[in-house]
Amino acid sequence: MGHQVLLFVCTIISLLLASCSSLVSAEVVEHSFHVQNRTITRLCRRQVITAVNGSLPGPTIRVNEGDTLVVHVFNLSPYNLTIHWHGIFQLLSGWADGPEFATQCPIRPGHSYTYKFKVTGQEGTLWWHAHVSWLRATVHGALIIRPKKGHSYPFPKPYREVPILLGEWWNANVVDVENEGLASGAAPNNSDAYTINGWPGDLYPCSVNQTYKLKVKHGKTYLLRIINAALNNQLFFKIANHKMKVVAVDAAYTDPYITDVVVTGPGQTTDVLLTADQAPSSYYMTANPYASAAGVPFDNTTTRGIIVYEGALPSTPIMPILPAFNDTPTAHKFFTNITGLVTGPFWNPPPRKVDEHMFITIGLGLTACGGRPGNATCAGPNGQRLAASMNNASFQFPDKISMLEAFFYNIDGIYTTDFPDKPHLKFDYTNPNNSMNPAIIMTKKSTKVKKIKFNTTVEIVFQNTALIGIENHPIHLHGFNFYVLAQGFGNYNPAVDRKKFNLVNPQERNTIGVPVGGWAVIRFRANNPGVWLMHCHLDVHLPWGLATAFVVENGPTPSTRLPPPPPDLPKC
């Protein structure tokens, strides 16, 4: 009896100690973001940009899993502003997610707002960015989640960790570039350069001294946290004469995968281990576009940084062999060879039972020009306005209050819950002959969402279409990771393609590139109440309407219900 009592007491003490240890290890990490215009020099000219704390990229945020993050945002810019914490689950903190008119009204110029949320259940590389117009071109930065204190990575500890942010640069005000495109109804101007950690690299004019350099020690292993912060381009990333070992994507651990090229779409992150095992010298790291849309103009340039070995003699850096801009086989090989690490700290097997099946066509289209003053035509095809849609519904954000406020306060008239589970018209989706088919190319603007019950398992087949043009579309889901069960080319055929599903160790992501002329199948459990945007992360396509949202109903208990909004939530 005494032995049992002693055992019981020891068990209680150990549980209390573990609980206390967990509480002690969690911290409150606090930052202040001062967002304002500044003038910097790139590509031979001075350009006004909007930046956070005067830097491009903005400050790197580092937290441990379990920490609470508090960021005070002071909008000193001339533009409306919100900040999105890309890939953060926001468990019961959906008010902090950030997309304008989805979860909050914008922070007006001269005003401020404090984001506060707990970072839990995920480790790895994410990022933060503006979620209003094209401001994220320069308003962005890394968000790094390390294991909780006392815990370790599921791979050998690297000598050093290095954020690598890939971006785009315009010799213009990006807000003006977007507005000009929207006003004309045509595509906006392409970027003038790509960047690595804010620097264009020595292939561009006046940029020899604006080239990112990384010094390494021979024999040491570095964790490169690669973030595609570009607005409109998917990118190939290579390092001359070096292999990379992929260990995580979108803050989800993967089975180690060795590659000489990383392919990344806007919004995606990839963690790789790089061992400095080559002869001490200088080696270029490069990023060049993966442009899958045939015949569509794009920024066909290359940004370069330099890896310099410690003690190496001065020399011309070695250049890697670049993939062709339309090298879809290389892109597809990379994306499909990644699998989830089932021994990782937060791994859960994909749910087998599916409650909601959705088939969503994605692609471009046209809307009626709308008759601008003095001109009845637009600069898009057929004199119309370029649009984009899911299941032929072209999403339009509300402008009175956010959708999350409408959900919480049960306000009608802000959105409708009739987003279709499948397209209203079935056709040969990837047949280029349908590119300008007048019977299916037109779409209309609406604010249609999909309403689902708490803890529902949702399976989505994304089907690319050939309307206007066919390309790889990076689709981002807010609030959740999803499992990538399969992806392929052509029209999805359930009789054949369901046999390809990986239900053992699929990769987890928050952003997926739906293959050019193809399809992808994802599955997720909607275990977080609120309003969660799902949209294309090509910023040229979001204002055109390639989006929808999931309204996840509250659960049955207080711990599964969305709490009230913060009292200082910005008002419209």
Side-chain angles (χ1 to χ4, degrees), residues 132-421:
V132 174
S133 69
W134 277 20
L135 285 180
R136 77 172 173 91
T138 54
V139 179
H140 63 253
L143 201 173
I144 295 170
I145 310 168
R146 293 194 176 109
K148 189 174 296 185
K149 291 180 180 178
H151 296 245
S152 61
Y153 297 123
F155 48 80
K157 184 179 179 181
Y159 175 72
R160 186 182 164 200
E161 302 178 15
V162 184
I164 301 289
L165 286 93
L166 310 176
E168 283 174 288
W169 175 264
W170 277 262
N171 285 329
N173 181 306
V174 293
V175 175
D176 292 342
V177 172
E178 181 193 22
N179 288 339
E180 288 165 6
L182 292 175
S184 71
N189 291 337
N190 290 315
S191 58
D192 296 289
Y194 301 108
T195 58
I196 297 176
N197 286 345
W199 301 109
D202 56 9
L203 285 176
Y204 296 101
C206 307
S207 301
V208 171
N209 296 322
Q210 295 192 336
T211 301
Y212 173 72
K213 293 183 179 180
L214 172 62
K215 292 184 177 181
V216 300
K217 290 186 177 182
H218 190 274
K220 299 295 186 181
T221 297
Y222 297 77
L223 177 61
L224 304 186
R225 299 180 176 273
I226 303 167
I227 300 167
N228 187 340
L231 260 67
N232 294 320
N233 279 280
Q234 299 166 92
L235 297 165
F236 295 109
F237 178 82
K238 294 194 75 171
I239 300 173
N241 291 12
H242 289 74
K243 298 284 189 180
M244 295 171 281
K245 183 185 291 184
V246 177
V247 292
V249 295
D250 292 359
Y253 291 118
T254 65
D255 287 319
Y257 170 54
I258 296 175
T259 179
D260 67 347
V261 60
V262 167
V263 191
T264 176
Q268 292 183 325
T269 71
T270 308
D271 290 359
V272 301
L273 294 176
L274 171 73
T275 299
D277 56 4
Q278 298 300 300
S281 188
S282 296
Y283 302 85
Y284 277 119
M285 65 172 74
T286 61
N288 65 303
Y290 167 46
S292 58
V296 176
F298 64 98
D299 178 2
N300 192 9
T301 62
T302 300
T303 179
R304 300 197 298 199
I306 303 175
I307 289 181
V308 182
Y309 277 67
E310 190 176 273
L313 296 175
S315 63
T316 300
I318 299 170
M319 182 70 177
I321 299 173
L322 301 179
F325 72 85
N326 58 354
D327 190 350
T328 290
T330 291
H332 190 65
K333 177 183 176 182
F334 178 83
F335 286 133
T336 55
N337 276 356
I338 296 171
T339 50
L341 184 67
V342 299
T343 58
F346 302 108
W347 172 263
N348 286 301
R352 296 300 182 106
K353 179 179 177 292
V354 176
D355 305 301
E356 293 274 1
H357 289 271
M358 302 182 72
F359 185 95
I360 299 179
T361 55
I362 56 176
L364 303 184
L366 299 173
T367 58
C369 181
R372 292 177 297 158
N375 193 341
T377 64
C378 291
N382 299 341
Q384 304 298 327
R385 184 178 296 278
L386 281 168
S389 66
M390 293 184 173
N391 282 350
N392 203 44
S394 189
F395 192 80
Q396 180 171 285
F397 284 91
D399 58 8
K400 297 178 181 178
I401 64 170
S402 73
M403 293 188 290
L404 188 57
E405 289 174 281
F407 163 72
F408 186 84
Y409 294 111
N410 199 26
I411 298 173
D412 292 330
I414 305 303
Y415 58 78
T416 60
T417 58
D418 56 344
F419 180 83
D421 287 343

Side-chain angles (χ1 to χ4, degrees), residues 382 392 424-425 427 434-443 467:
N382 299 341
N392 203 44
H424 72 286
L425 178 68
F427 60 98
N434 278 322
S435 178
M436 298 299 295
N437 186 337
I440 55 179
I441 201 171
M442 300 302 293
T443 182
L467 301 180

Side-chain angles (χ1 to χ4, degrees), residues 498-549:
R498 290 192 71 84
K499 298 175 184 177
K500 304 174 185 176
F501 283 12
N502 179 359
L503 295 170
V504 177
N505 61 344
Q507 60 180 289
E508 288 186 77
R509 281 198 174 275
N510 60 58
T511 306
I512 183 174
V514 180
V516 54
W519 51 269
V521 182
I522 70 168
R523 191 179 292 182
F524 70 98
R525 181 177 286 111
N527 55 4
N528 193 14
V531 175
W532 306 106
L533 201 61
M534 183 174 71
H535 64 94
C536 182
H537 221 268
L538 297 175
D539 264 25
V540 68
H541 290 166
L542 178 56
W544 287 353
L546 193 50
T548 186

Side-chain angles (χ1 to χ4, degrees), residues 79-97:
Y79 309 110
N80 290 341
L81 177 73
T82 67
I83 300 293
H84 170 50
W85 314 94
H86 187 111
I88 292 289
F89 293 153
Q90 299 292 4
L91 293 171
L92 298 181
S93 57
W95 300 104
D97 192 43

Side-chain angles (χ1 to χ4, degrees), residues 415-419 447-451 551:
Y415 58 78
T416 60
T417 58
D418 56 344
F419 180 83
T447 311
K448 296 182 178 182
V449 306
K450 170 71 174 179
K451 191 173 185 179
V551 175

